[in-house]
Every structure is written in structure tokens, then in C-alpha cells.
Amino acid sequence: MELKDQINNERLPKHIAIIMDGNGRWAKEHGKQRILGHQRGVQSVREVCEACAELGVEYLTLYAFSTENWNRPLAEVTGLMTLFAQTIKKEMDTFFKNDIRLNAIGDLERLPESNYKMLKETIDATKDNKRMTLTLALSYSGRWDLMQASRRMAADAAAGIIKPEDITQDTIDNYLSTAGIPDPELLIRTSGEERISNFLLWQLAYSEFYFTPKYWPDFQKADLYEAILNYQRRERRFGKTSEQVTK
Ligand code: FPP
């Protein structure tokens, strides 16, 4: 049976988050410049988006550029910003054909003005698409997210809009940039690194982690199916005993 057909649609993760890693090493191993690795990475983004939409995954979140990535050489940062802009523009038809809503999280105001404007316009144009929400984490870090949420909560508390004693975990969820999006059940990281790298720190509390040695540009639909099948073989206990969850 094909890998895709082995997937149990009843136990599909609603939300998959991916740390797309290894573009630079892929480029180096192929004797190419780093930016070519990122360009090849776009093909994997397309494959994975299509596969998730076809399967019925409702939310896909991709770590495209971290707060720390601003410290890379200027030429790479500029190259990546150009690539993001070109890709989003080029994929506009794909978003509509596949009924995908584009979303972005992160300190977006740090992006070049033209990127920021184009991103906002695409987010607005696709806001009524229903099949899947594709969230790009751009200029994002989990600590930045917790900081911006804390600042806004403190400001609202000072203004009397919320009471400190009424703050619950749901309140925090609602102040994070991912408000309204369920926590990812599955986190995938490519390239053999096994770290969280300041991604969705709060939201990944109960996620299953899947690590693959493949570099991101080599990650194809079949690799996504493997990750989902691996996830489906696991027992998610949320702190309970095995007997409690299998009852
Ligand atoms: C990590 O690999 C990858 C990035 C920092 C950029 C990811 C961006 C893309 C795949 C382009 C996607 C485009 C859109 C529109 C989402 P790395 O450079 O850290 O690789 P290395 O660890 O091997 O050096």
C-alpha cells in the first residue's frame, strides 16, 4: 500500500509545524551558494503545502526566518527577503486554487517595507480561503512572542481591561501571535538537528517531535507521509497513564 494510503484520516494532526533546516548544508554539498539551497527549499515548501492541503491538515506553520537569522551576512538576509517576496507573489494562484489562507507571525515590522506591504496584501486577499491556513513565521522567535504577549497583557491590565488575577492559560493563548490557531500536534525538524531553536515555545508544550536527517531541499511529500505515520504510531498521554488514555 502507498504511504499516503496508510495514513489514518481520523487521526490526522490538525496542525503541523516545521523547522525547515539544512538549506545551507544542502547547497554546500552540491557545490552551490547558500541562496541556491534556499531556492530549492521553496520547492519543498510547495510540495509540503500541497500534501497537507490534499490530506486535510488544517494548519501548517513554517519557521521561515527567525529573529536570530537577522544576524546572518547581509547578502543572505537580502537574498532571503527577495526570495520570500518572489515566492509569495508567484504562489498567489496556488493559494486560490487550493483555497489556502496565508498568515504570518513574528516581528513583521522589521521586514523591508515592500515585503511587509506585500505580505499584508496577500494575507488580506486570502483571508476568506478555508481549506488550510499556512502561517509563515518570519522574524519570529518564541521568546519574542511571549514578550509581546506579556507587554500587551500588562498594558491591558494597567488600563483596567483585564484583571491580573483573571489571567489564565487561555488568556495567554489569546495574546500570543498564534491566537485562534490550535497548538501543533506534530513538530517536524529536518537536517538532523534536534533542537527547538526558539520556535513556538509555549505552543509546543505537548507536541510530538519528529526529526529527520534529510536536508529541507530534499524533503518531499513521501517524507511528510512518513512523519505523519510515525506520529500516528505514538500514544499521546498528556501526563496521564497509558491505561487512562487507551480506555
Ligand atoms: C534554514 O536552513 C532555512 C532558512 C533560514 C530559510 C528557510 C527558507 C526557505 C526554505 C524559503 C521558503 C520560502 C517561503 C516563502 C516560506 P539553514 O540556512 O540554516 O541551513 P544550514 O543549517 O544547513 O546552514
Side-chain angles (χ1 to χ4, degrees), residues 3-223:
L3 277 179
K4 188 182 178 192
D5 302 324
Q6 292 172 35
I7 294 174
N8 175 354
N9 290 329
E10 311 273 292
R11 290 197 55 219
L12 202 60
K14 243 189 176 163
H15 182 180
I16 299 179
I18 307 183
I19 302 179
M20 309 179 288
D21 197 9
N23 295 350
R25 278 163 285 166
W26 182 93
K28 197 169 177 192
E29 284 184 14
H30 288 79
K32 297 183 194 298
Q33 290 191 318
R34 292 180 61 84
I35 195 68
L36 269 141
H38 298 312
Q39 283 170 6
R40 280 295 292 251
V42 173
Q43 280 184 25
S44 303
V45 169
R46 194 174 301 123
E47 286 260 323
V48 165
C49 279
E50 209 177 88
C52 283
E54 282 167 3
L55 285 170
V57 172
E58 291 174 45
Y59 300 90
L60 173 66
T61 301
L62 302 176
Y63 205 7
F65 194 85
S66 72
T67 314
E68 291 76 19
N69 287 154
W70 287 114
N71 300 322
R72 291 197 172 189
L74 184 63
E76 184 170 344
V77 172
T78 312
L80 272 169
M81 292 300 148
T82 309
L83 186 63
F84 294 144
Q86 284 171 347
T87 308
I88 293 169
K89 223 184 234 165
K90 226 167 94 190
E91 298 303 325
M92 197 66 159
D93 280 353
T94 323
F95 295 145
F96 280 99
K97 238 182 253 160
N98 294 288
D99 201 14
I100 292 173
R101 177 168 83 97
L102 184 72
N103 179 38
I105 53 171
D107 193 359
L108 304 177
E109 285 171 17
R110 278 184 81 178
L111 297 174
E113 209 181 319
S114 57
N115 277 56
Y116 181 72
K117 197 166 159 270
M118 204 259 301
L119 192 63
K120 287 271 171 199
E121 282 168 6
T122 313
I123 290 172
D124 192 53
T126 59
K127 71 179 188 320
D128 295 323
N129 292 352
K130 297 267 179 313
R131 191 172 179 195
M132 186 177 85
T133 299
L134 168 65
T135 300
L136 298 182
L138 284 167
S139 188
Y140 180 86
S141 76
R143 287 188 175 181
W144 167 85
D145 205 357
L146 287 162
M147 182 192 70
Q148 68 77 26
S150 309
R151 282 185 181 165
R152 289 195 300 119
M153 262 187 292
D156 282 355
I161 298 166
I162 55 170
K163 288 195 207 140
E165 62 272 26
D166 289 345
I167 294 175
T168 62
Q169 296 193 20
D170 286 345
T171 319
I172 298 172
D173 277 338
N174 289 328
Y175 277 84
L176 288 168
S177 61
T178 46
I181 299 177
D183 290 342
E185 292 95 331
L186 174 61
L187 170 81
I188 299 172
R189 183 170 187 151
T190 59
S191 91
E193 307 294 349
E194 302 190 353
R195 300 187 280 277
I196 201 168
S197 295
N198 210 351
F199 196 22
L200 303 160
L201 298 178
W202 171 273
Q203 300 87 338
L204 292 171
Y206 283 104
S207 309
E208 296 293 330
F209 287 16
Y210 178 84
F211 300 109
T212 166
K214 281 216 173 164
Y215 293 145
W216 179 249
D218 290 328
F219 194 86
Q220 305 293 308
K221 282 187 181 182
D223 300 298

